[in-house]
Amino acid sequence: MFITFEGPEGSGKTTQVTLLVRDLQDRGYTVFHTREPGGTSIGDQIRDVLHDLKNEQMHPHTEILLYAASRAQLVHQEIRPRLAANEIVICDRYADSTLAYQGYGHGLDLGVLRQILGFATGGLQPDLTLYLDITAEDGLRRRHAAADAGAEWNRMDALSLDFHRRVREGYLRLIAEAPSRWVTIDATGERDTIHAEIRTAVLARLTTPDTLSR
Ligand code: TMP
C-alpha cells in the first residue's frame, strides 16, 4: 500500500507521519518511510538546491523539473521496489504537492504538470492520501514559531501569504476531483487526536500483516 501525506505549511504532517510509521511497525507491518523532495542521496542534493534561500531567482519551470527529478529518482530507486516487495510505503508529500504548489500556487498549466508527473513517476498513484488541513495564516504562524525555535525556514516557506492561500485552495480542489483517495483531517486539533484519526483511516484499508496471519 502506498500512502502519502499532504498539507500546507505548518500542518504538522511530518510529526504525524512519524507517529503513524511507529504505530504500524509496532503492529508488525514492514513500513518504508520517506519524504519529498529527497529520500535518496540524489534527491537530497536536489532538495538543497530547491530550498536554498539564495536561489530566490529560480524560475517556476526550473522548480517543477527539479521536484520531478527528485521524485523520479525516489520512485524508481525506492518506492516501486518496496511496493513490489509488499511493504507499506509512506511518503511525506508526493505528486499532489506539485499540483498544489507549482500548479495552483505558481499558476503553471495543470495539464503540462500532469504530463511531467506521469513521465517522472510512470503513473504511480497513492492508494490513500491523508490531507492535514490548516489555513495559510495559521500554518505560516506555526512555521514562523518553529523557525524561531531553530527549525528549517526554506525558499518555499518564504513565498507570499497569497501564494500559500492558493496552495490550500488547490488542495481543496484536488480533493473535490478525486474524493475517494483522500482523507481530510483537521490539523488544528490535538496531536494524539489527529494521530488516532489517521490510524483509524489507515487500518480500515489495510489487511493483517503476513507475519501475524501465518
Ligand atoms: P516540507 O519538508 O516542509 O514538506 O517542505 C517541502 C517544501 O517543498 C514545501 O514548501 C512544499 C514544497 N514542495 C513543492 O513546492 N512541490 C513539490 O512537488 C514538493 C514535493 C514539495
Side-chain angles (χ1 to χ4, degrees), residues 36-98:
E36 282 212 5
T40 62
S41 160
I42 291 171
D44 284 336
Q45 294 171 65
I46 296 172
R47 181 183 178 98
D48 289 343
V49 175
L50 274 164
H51 289 175
D52 192 333
L53 288 163
K54 273 202 314 289
N55 291 336
E56 63 179 16
Q57 77 277 31
M58 188 181 292
H59 191 276
H61 291 189
T62 311
E63 190 177 287
I64 162 66
L65 291 171
L66 287 174
Y67 279 116
S70 169
R71 180 165 308 134
Q73 190 65 32
L74 181 63
V75 165
H76 292 99
Q77 183 180 322
E78 300 287 355
I79 298 182
R80 282 193 184 274
R82 308 275 177 170
L83 292 174
N86 238 355
E87 294 183 24
I88 299 174
V89 173
I90 303 185
C91 195
D92 186 344
R93 295 198 183 280
Y94 187 64
D96 296 304
S97 283
T98 302

Side-chain angles (χ1 to χ4, degrees), residues 1-6 36 71 75 79 83 89-91 93-97 99 117 121 123-130 178 180-182 205:
M1 189 178 192
F2 181 27
I3 302 171
T4 59
F5 276 70
E6 296 286 349
E36 282 212 5
R71 180 165 308 134
V75 165
I79 298 182
L83 292 174
V89 173
I90 303 185
C91 195
R93 295 198 183 280
Y94 187 64
D96 296 304
S97 283
L99 296 171
L117 293 175
T121 65
L124 180 68
Q125 288 272 12
D127 299 298
L128 170 65
T129 301
L130 296 149
S180 60
R181 175 165 63 85
W182 296 79
R205 288 166 174 80

